[in-house]
Amino acid sequence: MKNSGKLVSFLVPIISILLAFIIGCIIMAVLGANPFVALESLWIGAFGSLRNVGTTLARSTPLIFTSLCACFAYRCGVFNLGGEGQFLMGSIVCCYIATQSGIEGLPAILLCLVGGAVAGGVWSLIAGLLKVYRGQNEMIITIMLNYVATLFMGVVYTNWLRDGSVPQTQAVPDATQLSRLFGLRVTSAFVIALVVGLLVYYFLFYTSKGFQLRAVGLNMTAAEFNGFAVKKYILMSFIVSGAIAGLGGSAELLGTQFRLINGFGNGYGFDGVAMALIGQLHPIATILVAIFFAALRVGSTTMQAATGVPTSVCDIIQALVIVFTVAGLAMVKLPGFKAFLGRLTERRKEAA
């Protein structure tokens, strides 16, 4: 029964992706395009050359950070929807250090990354403190903090750190920018994201503290009766998840954007939540989902140029993947479906 449930949960995202692509192909055919040619163009645009692969990995980097942010928090049973705000606060602190401190090179890079992580953790801690000591809803608070961070960034690039008459900040010095890998668009920020993902995976599944944090997430009441410091783990989950997002903001600024402008980081937070849910809160699976979504976004441009299929079709496919996956995982947890799996398991045993 337990193994059957795990197998079904594993198959749900795969089936959701297949169904989403089938519907996407139907839409392409209705638009008068050959779905097979369109999918081939999509693949070529995302992975057809080393340059395209580098672009896909570069686009996936901020998504990996924000999805790991949501993954870590949700594992503790708290709903951190403020990944975007924490991402932005990390980039703001990073931008200030990089452009105003006068430090350049590796020391500046390390200081920027640490400063961004601290800023994201502190920004997330606000919601954690209000939840633990005032009983406030963390979803509402983190969403509101997203708006505050966005408006604060607007003040930074239009006023405090504005670069002349243009509403943007000064560019990060060349010596402080993250190096590109193999001459491609992808930078060492992607490597940092992978390392963070592996560390999160190791902590959650191979350490006693990680086990206790997951236990709190599964049942806070039972964990408290067993002597777990529930409040401490809740606060820790907010700090660490916020630090991951803040680190992502710093890495994105140093590796790709180089300056704060209007629209920086827009949508990364909520995209990360969706990817964490599709990956079923598993860090490695979450990274793969982030790369998959980035591939859709990068390849859609080539698909449009080759076949005339608008990039919005890929947006539809992404939305369908999210809807089918969430609905499928919810169905798997229904008592009736669990009973159905149990009956199938019993019949299999009897037949054996």
Side-chain angles (χ1 to χ4, degrees), residues 50-91:
L50 280 177
R51 182 176 180 180
N52 294 352
V53 171
T55 303
T56 298
L57 297 182
R59 289 286 296 273
S60 71
T61 301
L63 299 176
I64 292 174
F65 279 109
T66 54
S67 59
L68 288 175
C69 161
C71 177
F72 191 93
Y74 284 27
R75 277 291 181 178
C76 190
V78 296
F79 301 97
N80 181 6
L81 300 180
E84 184 172 320
Q86 295 142 26
F87 184 92
L88 294 180
M89 292 305 296
S91 64

Side-chain angles (χ1 to χ4, degrees), residues 219-233:
N219 194 321
M220 290 189 183
T221 304
E224 191 169 9
F225 274 111
N226 280 277
F228 292 177
V230 173
K231 291 183 178 180
K232 182 185 76 174
Y233 282 108

Side-chain angles (χ1 to χ4, degrees), residues 175-325:
T176 311
Q177 297 175 9
L178 294 177
S179 59
R180 293 194 173 193
L181 301 179
F182 311 111
L184 304 175
R185 187 180 176 186
V186 63
T187 67
S188 51
F190 178 73
V191 178
I192 296 173
L194 292 182
V195 171
V196 171
L198 293 175
L199 289 175
V200 170
Y201 171 71
Y202 178 79
F203 173 80
L204 288 176
F205 297 100
Y206 290 96
T207 66
S208 59
K209 293 295 183 182
F211 169 78
Q212 293 176 18
L213 184 141
R214 288 187 290 119
V216 171
L218 290 172
N219 194 321
M220 290 189 183
T221 304
E224 191 169 9
F225 274 111
N226 280 277
F228 292 177
V230 173
K231 291 183 178 180
K232 182 185 76 174
Y233 282 108
I234 291 176
L235 292 177
M236 183 184 75
S237 68
F238 273 107
I239 294 172
V240 174
S241 64
I244 293 173
L247 179 62
S250 300
E252 179 70 3
L253 187 76
L254 297 180
T256 305
Q257 294 290 341
F258 308 128
R259 65 176 80 227
L260 296 178
I261 57 176
N262 183 35
F264 176 82
N266 187 28
Y268 286 152
F270 290 109
D271 287 344
V273 171
M275 294 169 197
L277 293 176
I278 294 173
Q280 301 185 49
L281 306 183
H282 192 288
I284 306 301
T286 296
I287 292 174
L288 296 177
V289 172
I291 295 174
F292 166 72
F293 271 65
L296 283 179
R297 296 175 183 183
V298 173
S300 62
T301 305
T302 303
M303 181 183 70
Q304 183 178 29
T307 64
V309 176
T311 57
S312 57
V313 173
C314 283
D315 295 333
I316 294 173
I317 293 175
Q318 292 178 47
L320 290 174
V321 171
I322 296 171
V323 171
F324 290 152
T325 302

Side-chain angles (χ1 to χ4, degrees), residues 87-111:
F87 184 92
L88 294 180
M89 292 305 296
S91 64
I92 291 170
V93 171
C94 171
C95 182
Y96 181 83
I97 294 173
T99 60
Q100 304 299 314
S101 66
I103 306 173
E104 294 186 7
L106 182 59
I109 293 175
L110 296 176
L111 187 59

